[in-house]
Amino acid sequence: MRKNWLMVTRESLLEFAAMSLVVIAIPGPSVLFVVGRALAHGRRTALATVVGNLLGCYALVLVVALGLGSLVQGSASAFTAVKMAGAVYLVYLGVQAFRHRDQMRTALAGDKGERRGALSTVFDGLLVGATNPKGLVFFAAFLPQFVNHGAGHIPLQMMILGLIPAGIGLICDTAWALSASAARTWLAVSDRRTSMIGAAGGIALIGLGLTIATTPH
C-alpha cells in the first residue's frame, strides 16, 4: 500500500461515521448542555454553545492524537479529574441559571444587560465539550482502530478522522439548539412560565453535572 496519510479506506470512513452518528445521536453531556442553555438563555446562546462544544470536541481529538487519550482512559485518577472538572462547571452554570430565572422576561424582550458575551458563551461550551468523559473515552477507544497504520502519520490521520464526528456533532447539536430555543419561545407566554423555563434549564444542567460526577469509570 502506498505510503500516504490520506489512504484511509472508504469502508473505514463509512464505519467510523456510522459509529460516530450512533454515539452522538444518543443525548449525552453536550446535547443536554446545549438544551439547558437554550431553555435558559435562548437561541443565540445555544448556538454559541454549539460552537464551543465543537471546539471542545475537536480538542479531545487532538488530545487522543497526541497520545494522552490512552493515559486518561487507563488511569482512574486522570479520568476522575477530567470528569469532575466538567461536572463541577455544569453544576455552577446550572445554579447561575436557576438564580437568575426571574430575569428571563428581560432577556426575551431583547435586553442584553445580563447576557454573557459571545466569547464567554463559546468558552462555556468549549470547557464542557473538552471535559466530556463520553467523548474522551469514545475517541480514545475507537479512533485508533480506524487509522491506516501502514501509511504512517498516525496522529495526522486521527486529526483528519476526528473531523467526521465533529461535523456530525455540529449538525446534531444545532438541531437540538434550534428545537429547544423554539420550544422556549413558544412556552414563554407569561412571566411565571418564563421563570419556570429558566429554572428548568438550570435544574437540567445541575442534574447533568451530578449525573456525570456519579458515572463510574
Short mmCIF file of all heavy atoms in Angstrom, two decimals, residues 78 85 182 188:
data_model
loop_
_atom_site.label_atom_id
_atom_site.label_comp_id
_atom_site.label_asym_id
_atom_site.label_seq_id
_atom_site.Cartn_x
_atom_site.Cartn_y
_atom_site.Cartn_z
N ALA A 78 -6.83 10.14 36.53
CA ALA A 78 -6.88 11.13 35.46
C ALA A 78 -8.30 11.24 34.91
O ALA A 78 -8.80 12.34 34.65
CB ALA A 78 -5.91 10.75 34.34
N ALA A 85 -14.07 17.90 36.81
CA ALA A 85 -13.94 19.28 36.35
C ALA A 85 -15.16 19.68 35.52
O ALA A 85 -15.74 20.76 35.72
CB ALA A 85 -12.65 19.44 35.53
N ALA A 182 -36.82 27.12 20.07
CA ALA A 182 -38.15 27.34 19.52
C ALA A 182 -39.21 26.97 20.55
O ALA A 182 -40.21 27.69 20.73
CB ALA A 182 -38.35 26.52 18.26
N ALA A 188 -42.91 30.65 26.41
CA ALA A 188 -42.70 31.87 27.20
C ALA A 188 -43.83 32.87 26.95
O ALA A 188 -43.64 33.90 26.32
CB ALA A 188 -41.35 32.49 26.86
#
